[in-house]
């Protein structure tokens, strides 16, 4: 018999919920039946799975899943919920009793088999009943009153409030609008708690606790979601071409992957940029991407990072990765650069080659995403995934303007709002064949005016502040790189 479960999600990043869950069940090859169509206006799903071990595997990966309950009863009113449970005690058919007509009126008419209750009725098993509400608060007295109404259940074991053998959950859902809470709940649920999701990882991997971070270090929760959507698994080799401070490394390595990355920013990869934490004037000596991996006990998963220009690929054609996970720069908080010079017929004398620092030009977003998708097709095996962020002006957004490639299928597209004007979308592509067309850049016109519209949307000083920041960063980088070269010259001369 397939078991029925209530999946309760944290009510944040709701647009990412379905994409993360589908990626996990496809990675683990777990079949899932939806009893009701998932809806973003409700923080729960009702599903059926072949066995309990399946939901435990799913929960071991998901950071958006709060907990999972083996569902015994669901109703629109409290009286009906208790009637369903009393009927379930007598249901010895070993299956759910569903009325003729399918899933209509599912809330009030489905009766669970008695074996679910009997499995918890052993006199040697301690138990407790938790009362939870969504969008409403109950006093301790009110919670006790509701618990006492379940006295008819065949629970023979002792009550134990701390670490019981069985935890039963009673949940009342009052909608998602805290400013318009109804007098009566929309839905009520009762069942056996099975397992929690991986929400604690958000605090464990929090940027507040991380030793080395940068201006655009990825939020811990979203980094873990990206790793899930990339279907990262044990012993995979993951590549991040815009690695920055390595936040995505931490998430991928947590799930057992080996991590490799590159970035054009020499100072960031060597942890010599200006600190981003308030009040801190200089970097600690042990700040680095490798230091972050040591902090989380995943040093053995760290392959290396290299300074390189992504627009000038250096990898052998036969090299493949198990996933590519990245957050390309958008040219707002971090510059988009590649090696180049705007002057024509530029030559460099041999005398200047020793201390030469290559000039950089703007790496336009359409060209960047063109290179990224082409690289993914070239260095991913069929069935593997590229997960990346893509900036958009919300009023101009059209799905047909998203980066595309005939060898890549867009399997997930979730939005994170940044402001009233802008957003970024987490795109998940899966490689479907090995075709390599010569150019796919014409399909990427949606990014052409992102920066121009971003700056035009704000006050006149926004662009000035941005340009000043870029100038300061450039001066700082040039000065530090020059001092490093001078130190190397001194050592060589000695």
């Amino acid at each position: 018999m397939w078991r029925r479960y209530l999946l309760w999600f944290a009510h944040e990043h709701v647009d990412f919920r379905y994409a993360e869950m589908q990626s996990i069940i496809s990675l683990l090859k777990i079949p899932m039946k939806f009893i009701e169509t998932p809806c973003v206006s409700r923080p729960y799903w009702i599903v059926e799975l072949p066995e309990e071990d399946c939901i435990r595997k799913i929960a071991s990966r998901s950071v958006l899943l709060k907990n999972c309950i083996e569902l015994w009863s669901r109703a629109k009113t409290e009286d009906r919920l208790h009637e369903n449970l009393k009927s379930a005690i007598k249901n010895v058919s070993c299956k759910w009793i569903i009325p003729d007509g399918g899933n209509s009126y599912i809330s009030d008419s489905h009766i669970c088999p008695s074996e679910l209750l009997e499995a918890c009725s052993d006199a040697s098993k301690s138990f407790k009943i938790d009362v939870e509400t969504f969008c409403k608060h109950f006093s301790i007295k009110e919670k006790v009153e509701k618990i006492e109404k379940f006295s008819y259940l065949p629970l023979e074991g002792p009550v134990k409030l701390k670490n019981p053998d069985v935890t039963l959950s009673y949940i009342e859902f009052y909608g998602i609008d805290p400013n318009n809470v109804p007098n009566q709940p929309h839905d009520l649920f009762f069942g056996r708690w099975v397992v929690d999701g991986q929400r604690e990882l958000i605090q464990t991997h929090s940027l507040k606790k991380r030793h080395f971070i940068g201006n655009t270090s990825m939020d811990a929760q979203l980094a873990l979601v990206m790793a899930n959507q990339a279907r990262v698994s044990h012993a995979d080799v993951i590549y991040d071409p815009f690695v920055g401070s390595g936040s995505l490394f931490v998430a991928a390595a947590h799930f057992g992957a080996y991590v490799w990355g590159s970035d054009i920013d020499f100072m960031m990869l060597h942890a010599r940029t200006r600190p981003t934490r308030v009040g801190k004037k200089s970097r600690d000596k042990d700040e680095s991407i490798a230091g972050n991996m040591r902090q989380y006990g995943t040093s053995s998963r760290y392959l290396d990072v290299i300074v390189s220009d992504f627009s000038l690929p250096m990898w052998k054609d036969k090299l493949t990765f198990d996933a590519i996970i990245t957050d390309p720069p958008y040219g707002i908080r971090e510059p988009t650069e590649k090696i180049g010079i705007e002057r024509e017929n530029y030559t460099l004398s041999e005398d200047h080659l020793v201390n030469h620092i290559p000039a950089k030009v703007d790496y336009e977003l359409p060209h960047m995403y063109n290179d990224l998708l082409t690289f993914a097709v070239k260095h991913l095996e069929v069935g593997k995934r590229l997960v990346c962020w893509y900036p958009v002006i919300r009023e101009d957004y059209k799905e047909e303007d998203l980066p595309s490639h005939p060898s890549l299928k867009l399997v997930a597209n979730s939005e994170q709002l940044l402001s009233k004007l802008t957003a970024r979308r987490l795109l998940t592509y899966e490689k479907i064949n090995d075709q390599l067309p010569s150019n796919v850049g014409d399909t990427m016109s949606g990014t052409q005016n992102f920066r121009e519209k971003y700056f035009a949307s704000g006050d006149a000083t926004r662009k000035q502040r941005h340009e000043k920041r870029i100038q300061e960063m450039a001066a700082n980088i040039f000065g530090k790189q020059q001092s490093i070269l001078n130190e190397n010259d001194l050592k060589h001369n000695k």
Side-chain angles (χ1 to χ4, degrees), residues 354-373:
V354 177
N355 294 327
H356 175 64
I357 299 174
K360 297 175 183 176
V361 296
D362 184 43
Y363 195 2
E364 295 181 358
L365 293 182
H367 295 161
M368 182 187 299
Y369 282 92
N370 173 62
D371 291 345
L372 181 59
L373 267 63

Side-chain angles (χ1 to χ4, degrees), residues 377-392:
V377 172
K378 197 171 185 179
H379 294 283
L380 288 177
E381 295 181 1
V382 174
K384 300 299 184 178
R385 291 187 170 186
L386 160 68
V387 179
C388 64
W389 289 97
Y390 181 82
V392 296

Side-chain angles (χ1 to χ4, degrees), residues 253-299:
H254 172 78
F255 293 122
Y258 294 95
V259 292
W260 186 287
S262 63
D263 203 294
I264 198 172
D265 191 341
F266 173 94
M267 303 304 290
M268 175 59 76
L269 292 190
H270 289 80
R272 292 175 179 170
T273 54
R274 182 179 299 175
T276 56
R277 287 192 166 93
V278 176
K280 192 172 183 180
K281 296 182 179 180
S282 61
R283 295 278 188 188
D284 296 334
K285 289 184 179 180
D286 58 344
E287 282 192 55
S288 65
I289 296 175
N292 283 345
M293 302 298 284
R294 286 193 297 272
Q295 179 182 352
Y296 295 102
T298 53
S299 294

Side-chain angles (χ1 to χ4, degrees), residues 72-101:
W72 291 2
S73 181
R74 178 197 181 186
K76 293 293 184 181
T77 65
E78 193 172 352
D79 289 341
R80 184 64 191 184
L81 181 128
H82 288 290
E83 290 178 16
N84 287 347
L85 282 173
K86 291 175 182 178
S87 299
I89 296 173
K90 303 174 184 178
N91 177 17
V92 294
S93 65
C94 297
K95 62 182 180 180
W96 283 79
I97 298 177
I98 300 174
D100 295 336

Side-chain angles (χ1 to χ4, degrees), residues 346 348-358 478 481-493:
Y346 178 77
L348 189 68
S349 66
E350 293 185 5
D351 295 337
H352 291 91
L353 281 174
V354 177
N355 294 327
H356 175 64
I357 299 174
F478 178 80
Q481 286 184 334
Q482 190 62 53
S483 66
I484 293 169
L485 292 171
N486 291 338
E487 290 176 6
N488 291 338
D489 288 343
L490 289 173
K491 293 178 181 178
H492 178 73
N493 293 333

Side-chain angles (χ1 to χ4, degrees), residues 99-111:
D100 295 336
N103 288 335
S104 59
Y105 307 109
I106 181 175
S107 297
D108 291 328
S109 52
H110 289 202
I111 309 300

